[in-house]
Amino acid sequence: MKVVCPKCGNLIDSQQEDNEYVFCNECGSNFSFQDGRKTLVKRYSAYSNLAYRYLTTTGEYDKAEEYYEKCLQFKNNDFSSIIGIALAKLYSHTLLETHFDQIIPVFEKYEISLTAENTLLLLSFSGDVLAEAKRYFEDVDERLIKDGKFIATKYYSVYKKSLNDLREVFSYILEAIKLGDEEEIKQFEEDDKIIEQIKEMLTEIGNRAKIDFNISEEETILEENSVSVINQEALKQKRLFIGVEAFSGILFLIIIIVASLTQNNLVYLFLIAPALTALCGYLFYSYWLKKNTKS
């Protein structure tokens, strides 16, 4: 079992047991097996949190993948880290480099057991792939097809390949889901209908593959070919903050109007409530933003 030296941070494959001590060849120190395990868990958590921030907040996908790889050094075949690497591949795609063909190799590189927890992770990941596929198709339809023609040969070639890559990815996911925990699948299906959505996506991919597009006579290259990835959590927090501030502002105005109409100065004391609400909302959003954007 792996442990980490509390003194120098060296990762060690130890044969010791809980009540024994481990010797570090790097710094020459002795430490208890339990301390080594605690240090490993702490280091893993730090790397995992950092990788998640790079993935979902800063959009630095190379760094996210790097730190998820480090997590796998601490926990062999850690499925949450494997999913993180696959998402980094997925989110970094552009209209010229879709990366859909890189997803399956990520999973096949490791020995994965679809426990209840891992099944839930796989189902959630399936939803992410669906969202990115839909976003990619929307981007293709909006930016790459003009008057029923593709704007350039290179984009059309990538598009045709991407259809095949996505078909393989979703077929792979469907087969993998069959090996997952039945209770988790049943519960997830009741809310998200993920299997039904995947089958519908495969039908759409098949229909798109049947369409042969011509290429525009004057081929056009987009200056910016990236596909934006929306940070849903950040968007949710921003909307919540705006809602709280708007509510506080409206309540503030209502109190002022009531105080003016009633000529009762005591009513102005109620201005404390919306002011505190607005302040708390601002402080919470500032704290959340700082916590989730620092690297």
Side-chain angles (χ1 to χ4, degrees):
M1 186 174 290
K2 293 182 178 181
V3 295
V4 171
C5 176
K7 184 175 181 180
C8 69
N10 182 35
L11 181 63
I12 304 169
D13 280 315
S14 174
Q15 301 300 320
Q16 273 75 11
E17 297 180 356
D18 289 353
N19 59 347
E20 295 181 344
Y21 281 80
V22 180
F23 176 73
C24 178
N25 291 323
E26 287 290 323
C27 65
S29 64
N30 285 303
F31 57 91
S32 70
F33 180 86
Q34 290 181 347
D35 286 343
R37 288 297 298 173
K38 289 179 181 178
T39 305
L40 182 144
V41 171
K42 184 177 180 180
R43 186 68 61 86
Y44 167 86
S45 297
Y47 283 160
S48 181
N49 290 336
L50 190 56
Y52 182 77
R53 290 174 189 173
Y54 282 134
L55 180 70
T56 62
T57 304
T58 67
E60 297 175 80
Y61 304 118
D62 288 342
K63 288 185 177 180
E65 188 173 342
E66 175 187 343
Y67 279 94
Y68 279 125
E69 291 281 4
K70 290 183 177 181
C71 289
L72 284 163
Q73 294 176 10
F74 298 130
K75 290 186 179 182
N76 293 334
N77 304 314
D78 177 50
F79 197 50
S80 63
S81 297
I82 296 171
I83 290 290
I85 293 172
L87 286 173
K89 301 284 189 187
L90 180 67
Y91 289 163
S92 62
H93 74 267
T94 68
L95 290 172
L96 282 177
E97 297 181 11
T98 55
H99 298 173
F100 299 132
D101 59 339
Q102 298 182 23
I103 294 175
I104 295 177
V106 171
F107 292 105
E108 293 188 333
K109 185 178 178 181
Y110 304 94
E111 295 180 5
I112 300 169
S113 175
L114 286 180
T115 61
E117 180 181 358
N118 288 349
T119 298
L120 182 59
L121 288 171
L122 175 63
L123 292 168
S124 298
F125 172 74
S126 302
D128 292 323
V129 182
L130 280 167
E132 287 306 306
K134 292 176 182 177
R135 188 174 294 125
Y136 171 67
F137 288 149
E138 289 173 358
D139 221 37
V140 167
D141 295 342
E142 180 181 347
R143 303 177 65 193
L144 301 186
I145 302 175
K146 303 298 180 183
D147 299 323
K149 297 180 179 180
F150 254 78
I151 64 173
T153 303
K154 61 168 60 180
Y155 292 120
Y156 188 47
S157 298
V158 172
Y159 171 70
K160 296 294 283 187
K161 180 180 182 299
S162 295
L163 290 176
N164 186 61
D165 292 340
L166 282 170
R167 182 188 293 109
E168 291 184 359
V169 168
F170 285 117
S171 298
Y172 181 89
I173 289 174
L174 278 180
E175 290 300 313
I177 289 175
K178 293 179 182 178
L179 304 175
D181 183 85
E182 293 183 1
E183 288 300 321
E184 286 293 343
I185 295 172
K186 181 179 179 180
Q187 185 174 353
F188 201 90
E189 275 296 285
E190 290 178 356
D191 298 325
D192 294 76
K193 308 292 183 184
I194 198 72
I195 295 177
E196 181 179 329
Q197 290 187 59
I198 292 175
K199 290 180 178 179
E200 290 175 355
M201 176 57 70
L202 284 170
T203 299
E204 180 179 351
I205 291 171
N207 292 335
R208 283 177 172 269
K210 295 176 183 177
I211 303 174
D212 290 323
F213 288 95
N214 292 321
I215 309 299
S216 177
E217 294 178 1
E218 295 182 1
E219 296 198 4
T220 305
I221 304 298
L222 299 178
E223 293 183 2
E224 174 57 55
N225 66 76
S226 63
V227 180
S228 60
V229 177
I230 300 174
N231 183 349
Q232 297 291 345
E233 181 62 24
L235 187 60
K236 178 181 177 182
Q237 293 293 340
K238 184 177 180 179
R239 288 173 176 170
L240 179 62
F241 169 69
I242 293 174
V244 170
E245 298 304 296
F247 172 79
S248 300
I250 293 172
L251 187 59
F252 196 93
L253 289 175
I254 291 174
I255 293 173
I256 290 179
I257 292 172
V258 171
S260 299
L261 293 175
T262 60
Q263 297 296 314
N264 187 347
N265 291 332
L266 291 177
V267 176
Y268 285 107
L269 293 176
F270 290 98
L271 291 174
I272 296 175
L276 286 176
T277 301
L279 178 61
C280 290
Y282 172 78
L283 292 175
F284 174 80
Y285 183 71
S286 298
Y287 169 78
W288 185 91
L289 198 62
K290 181 179 180 181
K291 179 181 178 182
N292 287 274
T293 55
K294 66 180 182 180
S295 59

